Amino acid sequence: MRSIIKLFTVIILIITAITYGQDISKSGTTAAQFLKINIGSRAVGMGTAFTATASDLSSIYWNPAGLANNKSNDGYFNHTNWIAGVDVEFAALTSYIDGFGTIGAFVSVANEIDGDAVRTLDQPEGTGELFDAGGIALGITYARQLTDNFSIGFNFKYIQERIWHMSAQGFALDIGALYKINILNEFRIGANISNFGTKMKLSGRDILEVKSVGE
């Protein structure tokens, strides 16, 4: 048990060191922002302080380690009518395998812009064309209760974001842990690292290429 906790701690420290060791700026950091749109009425009602509380299927979003407590086959569906006309659909299915843990799959679909007018410098009122923008995340999850009090969970995601004729793809990982202390009506400590993954860069025919004079 101590070896497992040490290994998990080392993984978290390595990821933290890599993250904070990079040159972080605000430029180009807006990819796949739909992943930050929270799900679950209970979690949102608690002010998103849900990492240690998560125990239902919404744990896939908040802390996949919480799925280790789910020892049945379940489904979960969530619709979020967000600001500025953004809609997010989230669905998940999980299954418990005795002696192995809980496995699952999930999908998150965001409709960020639906049929807005294409405008150019020459035609500021619109060209008559419409464009849309959105994103999708597909993933699988695994959670296991290592002891009566300690559980871990992982999400592996494929992420795609699009706007008109351009798109970007990437992969991401979530790592979660949950520890229960049998005092004060089951005191809990939870930790989760979300959306740690590859860089995303839009590509497509709408990219404006700027060339230097003389090229």
Side-chain angles (χ1 to χ4, degrees), residues 38-147:
N38 302 320
I39 69 166
S41 57
R42 184 186 177 197
V44 174
M46 293 175 63
T48 71
F50 206 64
T51 302
T53 306
S55 58
D56 57 16
L57 263 68
S58 66
S59 302
I60 290 181
Y61 178 87
W62 297 100
N63 185 354
L67 288 176
N69 300 313
N70 185 8
K71 293 180 172 56
S72 61
N73 302 326
D74 288 318
Y76 180 84
F77 302 93
N78 182 87
H79 169 75
T80 303
N81 187 11
W82 212 53
I83 60 175
V86 176
D87 295 325
V88 178
E89 313 294 339
F90 185 90
L93 296 172
T94 62
S95 178
Y96 175 72
I97 302 175
D98 189 27
F100 180 73
T102 302
I103 60 174
F106 60 92
V107 57
S108 180
V109 180
N111 182 26
E112 300 170 4
I113 300 175
D114 186 15
D116 204 353
V118 176
R119 307 175 192 275
T120 66
L121 293 175
D122 297 329
Q123 296 175 289
E125 298 300 322
T127 65
E129 299 176 280
L130 299 177
F131 77 96
D132 62 358
I136 184 171
L138 303 171
I140 57 175
T141 187
Y142 173 71
R144 181 178 176 88
Q145 196 166 5
L146 300 179
T147 70

Side-chain angles (χ1 to χ4, degrees), residues 154-206:
F154 306 90
N155 288 333
F156 303 92
K157 306 176 185 176
Y158 165 76
I159 304 166
Q160 183 190 67
E161 194 169 34
R162 72 183 192 285
I163 177 169
W164 204 14
H165 302 123
M166 299 183 296
S167 64
Q169 296 83 31
F171 296 91
L173 172 69
D174 300 341
I175 303 174
L178 186 61
Y179 186 75
K180 301 177 183 178
I181 303 176
N182 296 322
I183 59 173
L184 300 177
N185 194 23
E186 199 175 88
F187 181 75
R188 296 184 175 201
I189 300 174
N192 184 47
I193 298 174
S194 298
N195 304 317
F196 181 81
T198 60
K199 295 181 179 180
M200 296 177 64
K201 182 179 180 180
L202 286 169
S203 62
R205 72 186 196 189
D206 299 322

